[in-house]
Amino acid sequence: MKTMKWLLRREFWEHKGAFFWAPVAVGCALVLFIGGGFMYTMTFGGMDNIQIDGHNVVSIQGFPPELRYKIAHILASSYMGIAAPLFVVLPVVVFFYCLSALHDDRRDRSILFWKSLPLSDRDTVASKVITALCVVPLITIAIAVAVALLLLVLGMFSAAGKGLNLFAPVLTQPNLYLSPLYLLAFLPLYILWALPTVGWLLMVSSWARSKVFLWAVGIPLVTVVLLKWFNFLLGQVSATLIDLDWFVEQVVVRGLGGLLPGIWLGAADMSAFVNNDEGLDPALLLAQSYLTLATPGVWLGVAAGVAMLFAAVRLRRFRDEG
């Protein structure tokens, strides 16, 4: 356990810029542009009324209490969504981290130093998997919660300056406090769906001598092109073809796009959210997301991911050349 702790610290120290400062920079940009823009609009915009076709639809000075509480409910339930750009940064950071995680040690020959220490290949690969699937997402979630809360407070202060006090109704909403916990509850789901991608990238990183990105992305894409060509030839003599759509969706997209948070929503039943004007229900979204674990494809992907991680450990043991 102590060895694993130091291995995880090593990964953080070596990639602190990508793991911590990159999401912090995006968070600061969100606060500056969204928070600043909203405050400027509310302060100098003079938008006391919302009009459609010249008729007042909503007057901030005369907000009905029920509408104010409805807005507070939507804000308290959905405020984490404003930090969504941070979860676009997450897959990019993890993707390139995994690509270089095992290759860079061989490229700069520091693998000889690390192998001189009493560290097993299994522990080394495990530390990189834990970093990619747990450490980086947890850092991103922490920064996202801080940014979302700050933007929510800025928004409420701006609204208060126009006479719309949302502090009391927002602070009494349970979802305000539960939303960060809901976000954490998605982490096990993210780990399961991202495992095939992390396994694939680490296996290629452990195997490729150079051009790791081209190997990782090129092999699946070239395979699709070859299968399409094979289908064309097979179609000349037979009506039975390979299901290329299934291969692209279940193999290529799962293999390369598993790091995208929310990729499982493509397999979830989203009909419950149609025509919902009460804002996002995080509990319902969490429940629908976990129902995707009932599909066998998820567990086949997990098994494939574990197998590729095992291959990455074996490859690292024997491919220590620079």
Side-chain angles (χ1 to χ4, degrees):
M1 185 61 72
K2 190 175 181 180
T3 302
M4 182 57 65
K5 184 178 74 173
W6 281 105
L7 284 172
L8 293 177
R9 285 188 176 184
R10 173 209 168 192
E11 298 301 322
F12 180 74
W13 288 334
E14 290 186 350
H15 303 88
K16 190 175 181 180
F19 294 169
F20 181 75
W21 291 115
V24 165
V26 174
C28 290
L30 287 175
V31 172
L32 179 64
F33 291 109
I34 297 180
F38 187 70
M39 291 187 71
Y40 178 83
T41 301
M42 294 297 288
T43 304
F44 301 105
M47 298 293 292
D48 290 336
N49 299 293
I50 299 174
Q51 296 185 344
I52 296 178
D53 294 334
H55 302 286
N56 289 342
V57 176
V58 170
S59 171
I60 290 180
Q61 299 296 335
F63 244 93
E66 60 275 12
L67 185 55
R68 189 170 55 141
Y69 279 94
K70 184 176 181 180
I71 292 175
H73 174 73
I74 293 174
L75 285 177
S77 302
S78 312
Y79 72 97
M80 290 300 305
I82 203 165
L86 283 166
F87 296 98
V88 177
V89 176
L90 172 64
V92 176
V93 169
V94 176
F95 187 92
F96 286 99
Y97 163 72
C98 291
L99 276 183
S100 63
L102 297 173
H103 175 261
D104 284 357
D105 284 355
R106 290 186 290 117
R107 186 183 58 182
D108 59 18
R109 301 188 70 80
S110 62
I111 191 173
L112 300 177
F113 167 74
W114 292 110
K115 284 198 170 185
S116 67
L117 301 176
L119 299 172
S120 68
D121 296 307
R122 181 200 61 188
D123 289 347
T124 302
V125 174
S127 70
K128 296 177 187 300
V129 174
I130 294 172
T131 300
L133 293 178
C134 297
V135 176
V136 185
L138 283 174
I139 293 173
T140 304
I141 288 173
I143 295 172
V145 170
V147 169
L149 283 173
L150 182 57
L151 287 173
L152 179 64
V153 171
L154 288 176
M156 290 194 296
F157 268 116
S158 302
K162 287 294 183 183
L164 176 60
N165 187 354
L166 291 171
F167 282 95
V170 168
L171 291 175
T172 56
Q173 293 289 328
N175 282 338
L176 174 70
Y177 311 100
L178 292 175
S179 290
L181 300 179
Y182 284 130
L183 203 56
L184 278 176
F186 281 108
L187 184 58
L189 203 61
Y190 178 77
I191 292 172
L192 293 175
W193 279 83
L195 195 57
T197 304
V198 171
W200 167 249
L201 295 176
L202 286 178
M203 186 178 72
V204 174
S205 179
S206 184
W207 164 75
R209 295 177 186 275
S210 63
K211 310 292 189 297
V212 187
F213 178 82
L214 291 179
W215 283 112
V217 178
I219 289 178
L221 296 182
V222 169
T223 303
V224 171
V225 173
L226 291 177
L227 287 177
K228 196 171 183 61
W229 176 248
F230 180 75
N231 263 357
F232 171 76
L233 296 178
L234 191 62
Q236 309 302 315
V237 295
S238 172
T240 304
L241 301 176
I242 296 174
D243 190 350
L244 199 56
D245 291 337
W246 177 90
F247 180 81
V248 171
E249 182 180 344
Q250 298 297 325
V251 179
V252 178
V253 174
R254 284 292 311 281
L256 294 178
L259 296 173
L260 285 171
I263 189 175
W264 53 83
L265 294 179
D269 180 13
M270 302 300 289
S271 59
F273 298 95
V274 177
N275 299 326
N276 183 6
D277 59 351
E278 297 294 327
L280 185 65
D281 185 343
L284 180 60
L285 182 62
L286 187 65
Q288 293 296 330
S289 297
Y290 269 90
L291 285 177
T292 61
L293 297 183
T295 56
V298 178
W299 301 104
L300 289 174
V302 170
V306 172
M308 288 186 283
L309 290 175
F310 177 76
V313 174
R314 302 293 295 179
L315 287 167
R316 187 180 188 274
R317 181 170 301 173
F318 300 110
R319 292 179 72 89
D320 59 354
E321 72 281 4

